[in-house]
Structure formats: structure tokens, C-alpha cells
Amino acid sequence: MLEPEKQVLLAHGGGGELTRRLLAERVLPKLANELLDPLTDGAVLARPGGRICLTTDAFVVQPLEFPGGDIGRLAVCGTVNDLAVMGAAPKALSLALILEEGLAIATLERIVASIAATAAEAGVVVATGDTKVVERRGGDGMTITTAGIGELPDGLELGTGTIATGDAVLVTGAIAEHGLAVMSARKGLSFRTELRSDVAPLNGLVGAMLAAAAGVRFLRDPTRGGLAGVLADLAEQTRRNVEVEEDAVPLTPVARHTAELLGLDPLTVANEGKVVAVVAPGDAEKVLAACRAHPLGRAAAIIGRVGERSDWPLVELLTRAGGRRVVQRPYGEELPRIC
Amino acid sequence: MLEPEKQVLLAHGGGGELTRRLLAERVLPKLANELLDPLTDGAVLARPGGRICLTTDAFVVQPLEFPGGDIGRLAVCGTVNDLAVMGAAPKALSLALILEEGLAIATLERIVASIAATAAEAGVVVATGDTKVVERRGGDGMTITTAGIGELPDGLELGTGTIATGDAVLVTGAIAEHGLAVMSARKGLSFRTELRSDVAPLNGLVGAMLAAAAGVRFLRDPTRGGLAGVLADLAEQTRRNVEVEEDAVPLTPVARHTAELLGLDPLTVANEGKVVAVVAPGDAEKVLAACRAHPLGRAAAIIGRVGERSDWPLVELLTRAGGRRVVQRPYGEELPRIC
């Protein structure tokens, strides 16, 4: 028997008095701001000073709470980071919750509080939202979809179009921690306390990188598909080979060990607090220094370079042992429901 | 055994090669446009000519396809209509799909085609998106979350703040058809072929209403919670009584009959192609005429008026029988998963 004060009921999604009370008592007080509070059909934002960037992500991570974060922090960071790597300053988010009947109200409240805290950390406002309820299932609890808008300064054009042979490939810190932390929590592994998700809002770090030098050509956050996925995209879109030194890729011993235990290649594991950048060779050291001066970029490293044009562009890893191996985009389901 | 060419697999959500192919082959060709095609982390839109309106909705309707529409058409219209009733011209949508393992690829393709057709009808572009896959459950198939941005002309301020005693309350057509059509389809009722959802993009109709007269004070689409929910909000927010004539509320005989069979009050049933407007008394006939001249507003009617201020504001229905009854916001779960 479900209790309406302790658990989410299907009736909480009907759009009536119970919906109004759930939001008014449990959700809105934590997110309060002048855009959201009127509870109109949408939020009105001032006329922006640049072009508009629009992005969205759906989050289905299991478990909802994991070492270093939760689905709420993940949702805010995922959308903020997508805007940041476009070069846009994140301004406002929308928040759509799909709750499963039976979800503990206390869990909902913790996750909404985490959303509010992460939005404040990133300097964005949760401007509008929607809540629905679906029947009880496997006890998944909730999915969150955020969309975000940011302002893109006129003249800033990041992308693969200007990438040239010799450009440096940089990553802002140790890889694979988000995916490994979630997988460890899911499997109940004993070392799970040591490994924490890197989930963090990257707009501050990206701002520092862009301010450091004009030669930043391309930015991407290596989430699903990991570093390997971003490098494969880079090669495919630029029609150039990409060469990466295995030894240069930041990876903590605990992450390396965990990946080995789980049988995963860290290159394909999701990150939620890292950026891959392609930078003109003359500016690479400046951008690296800017990263290292930022709390979220202390372990940044130049990991490789963009090679020649090719009809069959490849990502090659120069291995620790002195060999070469081709890095491929992961095929399918290595890590389902990681974000 | 699931077949990757015919059904969605968990692996389709991993962010690897299978994800890329599902999108490239099944989804993107139908939605193709220059904002979406680069498949970057977000879409870049031109600097807008007014303030920005941001809105979002999650859609969990069951069944996915129903007489008169489907979850895809519903998602586009729901977001377009939220922008329209804010007074904003809808410009771009984001589209987040959460697919259930086992969903037929053919169903996904039909719904994506419906999204594309409805977006074209509304004159908006699907500018960016995301796709995730979750484990097989009750066979629900999919949920869709859309967010939308629109341009709000400077100087246009719709809302309850300027509503005054004597203002007319207008509805743009017959009520309750969306909710009744979905419920009928769900229950497999024999009359389901007669009743169709009213789901439609309302930005054209709203544009005609706003152009007809300056006295449009407030607009709202009566979705979850129905007409009763909007009228309850109106009374609560204006601290005024609202009086509605039962006989004046447009309702088709088939909808009335279906509501009786299902034991539902049509006033509380969701609409997805109607607008409730509050209009200054001197402009009400002009706005009514503009509605009736539009294909989606032919059955528009003035259904009541805004009354005096009150400490306990009520919505009163003047019944066909000559009595009065208080209209309340529905409490909970009369119609779960209707949108």
C-alpha cells in the first residue's frame, strides 16, 4: 500500500490538486526563482545579447544516486556542459521529471535539492518544468530530461571545420571516472567508496580555456562512448588521422584497476566532468596552463595530435609497450544506463 | 529474441555505433534540417528579435497511437501550444526520446514521421535531440520530452494581472476530445472510431486572436486538468469568482455520451487543441469572430465572465437545469497518462 505523504502515486501525475501540492510542497521551494515561481506555461527570459544555443539530454542512470553524484546533478551538468562545449554561456534550464509510482518522496526531495545546488554552482536558473507519473515498474524511480539555452557570442565558431594537421588534442583531466563509479555502485563492488563520478559543471573551466587563447578550435565532453567516441567522431568529421599516446592519457590507478576488474576499456567509458579540446599548436601550452590553473582541470594533459588527411581516417593509440592499436567507437551496450 | 533491425535493443542506447546507426538511418532522415544535421551537442539559432520564452513537457501517453494523433504529434503540439499561449512565436524544439527495449522500429519510424509532419504544420524546427534506451517493462514503448523556445514580442504581456470584473471567458472549440479519445482507445470501446483527439498546433489560431484585438489578457491551453483546472487557476490567481454557463460550453454529442459512459466530467478532461482566453468585454466579439474565421476555432464560444473579487474565489457553473454548482480542480488520478 502506497502512502501519498511518503511515496509518489500515479494520482500525483493527474494534473489536479495532488500534482499541485507535490510541486508546491516538495519541489518548488528548493528551486525557487523569479522565472519559475509564476508557474506559467513557460519562462520569459530577457532578449539575449548573442545567438542562442539550444540543447537537450535525457537521463536514465541507474542507480539514481552513486558515489560523487546523482541523476539530478548529472542532468544539470550534462546540459550545462553541452552548452559550454558549444562555446555558449549557459543561462536557463528546463526540467522534466518522469516519476515512477512508488518512488520515495524523500529520494525525490534529495534529488531536487541536488539539482538546485548544482544549478547554483553552474550559475544557471531552472526556469520552467513539467512532472509526469508512470506506473510502478522495476523500481527505477525516475528519469529526468533537461533542455538548456545559452548565449553564444557573435564571432565564436567552434567546430571541426578549422582543424588542421598538427593541432594538439588535449583532455582536461583523468578519464572514465563517471562510468566506472556508476558501474561499481551498480555491481556493489567493494572498492566503490574509492571511486567517485567526476560529474561537474564545466562552463567555468571552458570559459577559462577560451579566454586563454584564440586557437581553441573544437571542444566536446566525452560522455557516452567516452574518449574513444569523441576521437572517432573527430577523425570521421575531419577526414584526418588522429594519434594519441596511451601514456599521456590521464587515468588514476584506481580507475585503471576498476576498469580491469570490470573488463572495460577506459577509453570507451563515460566522463561527465571532462572536456576534449583541439587547439592550434602554438596555443596548446597556453590552453593547458589555463586548464591546470582551474580546480576542474588540474590533471589536464596534451594527449595527441591531429594527423594527415585520409580516405580511411583512423584513431591510433601509441601504446605504452611501443605498439600501435586502432581505437574504435564502441559498438553497443558496453555500459547501458550510465547517464 | 529481439532483432536489431526490427526492435530497439538496450545496445541502441549505448552511445556507440548502434546508436549512431539507429539515428542516422531511422530518425534523422525524417527530421532533416540545417540546425539538426550537424549533430553537435546543441543547435545554434540566430539572435532573436525579442525576449525568449522557454517551455518543456514530458509525454507518457498510453497508447502511443490513438484516434486523431500519437505521442509524437502530441509532444510537438504540447510544446508549441505552451509557447503560443504565452504569446510567443514558436521557433525551435528539442526532442528527447526514451525508448523501451523491444519497441518496434516501425513504430518509432511512424512516430518520428508524425513529429516531422507536425513540426512542419506548426512552422517550427526540431533543432536538437537526444535518445536513450531503458530495459523492457510493460511494453509502454517510449516517452518523449520536448522543450521549445519562442520569441515574445516586446510589449506583449499576457497574464492574470490585468484581468478585471466583467471580462469575457472564451474557449476556442468543443472540449474534452483528447482525453476521451485516448481513454476510449485504451479501453477498446466500440465507439472509438467516432471520437478523435483534437491535438493540433495552436500558434496560428492564437496569432489570429492576438491580431484581432488588443484586449486579450490571458491565454491558456486546458490540457491535464481540463477546462476546470484552468478556471480554478484563474479564480485562484485573480482572487475573483468566475461564472460559466454550462449550455455555452461547446461539447459534441459523442463526447458527452462518451464521458457519461466513462463516468467522467468533461470539464476535467484534457484538451490538446483548444485555448481558453480572457478578453476585455469590448473586444470579446472581435476575438470570437477571429477564432471562428480560423479552421481550428470554428466552434469557439464565449462561455462565461470574470466576477467580483473574493476572499474565497469560486468557479460557478450555471447548469442547464437552472442551478449552480461549484467547479473544482480535479483531485488526482481521474485520467492518468493522458498526455
Side-chain angles (χ1 to χ4, degrees):
Chain A
M1 187 64 191
L2 299 175
E3 298 173 60
E5 295 302 314
K6 292 191 181 164
Q7 286 169 303
V8 172
L9 310 185
L10 209 47
H12 278 122
E17 180 60 22
L18 267 184
T19 305
R20 194 195 62 74
R21 276 179 44 197
L22 178 74
L23 298 177
E25 294 170 11
R26 309 300 193 148
V27 175
L28 297 171
K30 296 181 178 63
L31 296 172
N33 66 69
E34 61 182 12
L35 290 175
L36 184 65
D37 294 344
L39 288 189
T40 46
D41 285 307
V44 177
L45 287 84
R47 183 194 287 244
R51 291 164 297 168
I52 288 289
C53 220
L54 174 67
T55 186
T56 193
D57 274 300
F59 296 88
V60 300
V61 65
Q62 278 297 314
L64 297 178
E65 298 170 294
F66 46 81
D70 57 68
I71 191 172
R73 181 170 175 83
L74 191 61
V76 173
C77 293
T79 295
V80 162
N81 294 351
D82 278 353
L83 292 171
V85 298
M86 298 284 295
K91 294 293 176 189
L93 303 184
S94 67
L95 175 69
L97 306 174
I98 301 180
L99 310 179
E100 185 181 335
E101 194 183 19
L103 175 70
I105 300 263
T107 305
L108 174 64
E109 290 193 293
R110 278 200 308 278
I111 286 169
V112 172
S114 173
I115 289 169
T118 311
E121 184 181 341
V124 296
V125 61
V126 176
T128 189
D130 188 40
T131 304
K132 294 278 160 53
V133 181
V134 295
E135 292 84 356
R136 191 160 202 158
R137 295 162 168 170
D140 281 12
M142 67 193 302
T143 62
I144 299 182
T145 300
T146 39
I149 60 180
E151 277 184 37
L152 185 60
D154 289 331
L156 181 60
E157 301 290 348
L158 298 173
T160 53
T162 58
I163 291 175
T165 303
D167 282 356
V169 179
L170 181 152
V171 66
T172 60
I175 66 164
E177 294 176 357
H178 173 71
L180 293 173
V182 172
M183 287 302 283
S184 301
R186 201 183 295 169
K187 306 225 177 223
L189 296 181
S190 59
F191 47 73
R192 70 181 172 199
T193 48
E194 286 187 62
L195 202 73
R196 295 172 66 81
S197 166
D198 62 338
V199 57
L202 295 171
N203 47 332
L205 174 62
V206 166
M209 293 167 73
L210 292 172
V216 177
R217 305 198 199 266
F218 167 90
L219 298 170
R220 180 75 62 84
D221 51 333
T223 56
R224 269 189 305 182
L227 182 59
V230 172
L231 296 175
D233 283 351
L234 255 184
E236 197 175 293
Q237 286 168 31
T238 60
R239 313 293 303 160
R240 291 172 188 278
N241 295 316
V242 175
E243 229 177 58
V244 171
E245 281 180 60
E246 187 174 20
D247 255 350
V249 177
L251 181 67
T252 64
V254 64
R256 183 193 313 273
H257 179 63
T258 307
E260 278 168 11
L261 271 177
L262 292 170
L264 295 169
D265 177 357
L267 292 179
T268 66
V269 175
N271 310 272
E272 295 289 347
K274 297 299 175 316
V275 177
V276 177
V278 177
V279 185
D283 282 342
E285 288 297 332
K286 267 185 276 187
V287 174
L288 181 66
C291 285
R292 289 184 171 168
H294 191 280
L296 294 173
R298 288 217 183 97
I302 294 169
I303 61 169
R305 64 186 282 285
V306 175
E308 302 295 329
R309 284 194 163 276
S310 164
D311 288 338
W312 297 99
L314 292 177
V315 179
E316 284 193 299
L317 189 73
L318 311 182
T319 66
R320 209 167 287 118
R324 286 174 174 264
R325 94 170 152 89
V326 173
V327 176
Q328 289 183 296
R329 182 186 283 115
Y331 185 71
E333 62 179 331
E334 279 193 80
L335 290 172
R337 305 198 63 177
I338 212 71
C339 62
Chain B
M1 188 60 191
L2 299 175
E3 298 173 62
E5 294 303 312
K6 291 189 181 165
Q7 287 169 303
V8 172
L9 309 185
L10 209 47
H12 278 121
E17 180 60 21
L18 267 185
T19 304
R20 195 195 63 74
R21 276 179 44 197
L22 179 74
L23 297 177
E25 293 170 12
R26 310 298 191 148
V27 174
L28 296 170
K30 295 180 178 64
L31 296 172
N33 66 68
E34 62 182 14
L35 290 175
L36 185 64
D37 294 345
L39 287 189
T40 45
D41 285 306
V44 177
L45 288 84
R47 184 194 287 244
R51 290 165 297 167
I52 288 290
C53 220
L54 173 67
T55 187
T56 193
D57 274 299
F59 296 88
V60 300
V61 66
Q62 280 296 313
L64 297 178
E65 297 171 294
F66 46 80
D70 57 69
I71 191 172
R73 180 168 176 82
L74 192 60
V76 173
C77 293
T79 294
V80 162
N81 294 350
D82 277 353
L83 292 171
V85 298
M86 299 282 295
K91 293 293 175 189
L93 302 183
S94 66
L95 174 68
L97 306 174
I98 300 180
L99 310 178
E100 185 180 333
E101 195 183 19
L103 175 71
I105 301 266
T107 305
L108 174 64
E109 290 192 293
R110 279 199 307 280
I111 286 170
V112 172
S114 173
I115 289 169
T118 310
E121 185 182 340
V124 296
V125 60
V126 176
T128 189
D130 187 41
T131 304
K132 295 278 158 54
V133 181
V134 295
E135 292 84 356
R136 191 161 203 156
R137 294 162 169 173
D140 283 11
M142 66 194 300
T143 63
I144 300 182
T145 300
T146 40
I149 60 179
E151 275 183 38
L152 185 61
D154 290 330
L156 181 60
E157 300 292 348
L158 298 172
T160 53
T162 59
I163 290 177
T165 304
D167 282 357
V169 179
L170 180 152
V171 65
T172 61
I175 65 163
E177 293 176 357
H178 173 71
L180 293 174
V182 172
M183 286 302 283
S184 302
R186 202 182 294 170
K187 305 226 178 224
L189 296 181
S190 59
F191 48 71
R192 69 179 175 203
T193 47
E194 287 187 58
L195 201 73
R196 294 170 67 80
S197 166
D198 61 339
V199 58
L202 294 170
N203 47 333
L205 174 62
V206 167
M209 293 167 75
L210 292 172
V216 176
R217 305 199 198 268
F218 167 89
L219 298 170
R220 180 75 63 83
D221 52 333
T223 56
R224 270 190 305 181
L227 183 57
V230 172
L231 296 176
D233 283 351
L234 255 184
E236 197 174 293
Q237 286 168 30
T238 61
R239 310 298 300 164
R240 289 171 190 277
N241 295 314
V242 175
E243 227 176 59
V244 171
E245 281 181 59
E246 187 174 19
D247 256 351
V249 177
L251 181 67
T252 65
V254 65
R256 184 193 312 274
H257 178 63
T258 307
E260 279 167 11
L261 271 177
L262 292 170
L264 295 169
D265 176 358
L267 292 179
T268 66
V269 175
N271 310 271
E272 294 289 346
K274 298 299 174 318
V275 176
V276 177
V278 177
V279 185
D283 281 343
E285 289 297 332
K286 268 185 275 188
V287 174
L288 182 66
C291 285
R292 289 184 172 167
H294 191 280
L296 294 174
R298 289 217 181 95
I302 294 169
I303 60 169
R305 63 186 282 286
V306 175
E308 302 295 331
R309 283 193 164 276
S310 164
D311 287 339
W312 297 99
L314 292 176
V315 179
E316 283 194 299
L317 189 72
L318 310 182
T319 65
R320 210 167 285 117
R324 285 174 175 265
R325 95 168 151 90
V326 172
V327 176
Q328 290 183 294
R329 182 186 284 116
Y331 185 71
E333 62 179 329
E334 279 194 79
L335 290 171
R337 305 197 63 177
I338 213 69
C339 61

